[in-house]
Amino acid sequence: MLQLISRQDDLVIASLEGEVDLFTSDEVRAAGERLLDDGCRLLILDTSPLTYIDSSGITALLALWQRLEDEQGALIMAIPEEHLRRRMSILGLDGVITVTATLHDALTRARAIGAGAVPRPRTSQTEAETA
C-alpha cells in the first residue's frame, strides 16, 4: 500500500503499491497520517508500483493533501504512467496536487518548494482570483 522509501528532515518519499481501493484506502491514509504525525511536511508519492486506484484511494490522497495544506506543506506525486496523469488532470487534481512524470522531477520540485523558490500550488478560489 504505502511504503517508506526515504526520509530527510521533513521531506519523505513513499511509494503507493499494488491496489489502493475501498479495501486498502484506510490503510494508506493511516500510514500517511503517521508520516505527517512524525513531522513530514513535504510528501512525495511515487506511483510507479501502483496497479490500480479507485475513488476511495483518491479520497485518501486528498485527505493527506488537505492536512499537508493546512500545515503549510505539500503533496507531490510522481506519476510515470500517462493514463493516471491524464486521470488526475480530468479530475482537476493536478490543479491542487503537484504532479510530475518522474521521481527525480518530484524531488526537484519538493526541494524547490521547501527552499521557498517555488510557491506551493494555489488551492483556493480566492487566491486564484486575486492573482
Side-chain angles (χ1 to χ4, degrees):
M1 296 342 118
L2 185 68
Q3 298 295 321
L4 180 67
I5 295 174
S6 70
R7 180 181 196 123
Q8 183 178 16
D9 301 321
D10 64 350
L11 172 62
V12 171
I13 302 172
S15 65
L16 280 175
E17 300 179 352
E19 295 184 3
V20 180
D21 57 18
L22 178 63
F23 303 105
T24 60
S25 60
D26 286 342
E27 185 180 328
V28 168
R29 183 175 178 174
E33 291 284 341
R34 284 191 298 276
L35 291 172
L36 302 184
D37 289 344
D38 289 339
C40 170
R41 294 299 165 260
L42 294 169
L43 177 59
I44 297 173
L45 293 179
D46 175 16
T47 66
S48 57
L50 184 67
T51 58
Y52 177 78
I53 188 165
D54 70 3
S55 60
S56 60
I58 297 290
T59 300
L61 296 178
L62 284 171
L64 295 175
W65 165 80
Q66 183 63 61
R67 179 155 169 213
L68 282 160
E69 181 70 15
D70 291 346
E71 297 175 8
Q72 302 301 303
L75 173 61
I76 300 121
M77 294 185 67
I79 306 176
E81 185 194 319
E82 185 176 340
H83 177 75
L84 183 53
R85 280 196 316 274
R86 187 172 188 288
R87 188 170 170 199
M88 296 289 283
S89 178
I90 289 169
L91 294 171
L93 297 175
D94 60 347
V96 291
I97 297 172
T98 301
V99 173
T100 66
T102 68
L103 186 55
H104 179 268
D105 290 345
L107 186 54
T108 300
R109 182 72 173 202
R111 288 181 175 150
I113 291 169
V118 173
R120 293 179 317 111
R122 283 201 179 104
T123 58
S124 74
Q125 190 69 21
T126 305
E127 286 178 297
E129 291 172 355
T130 60

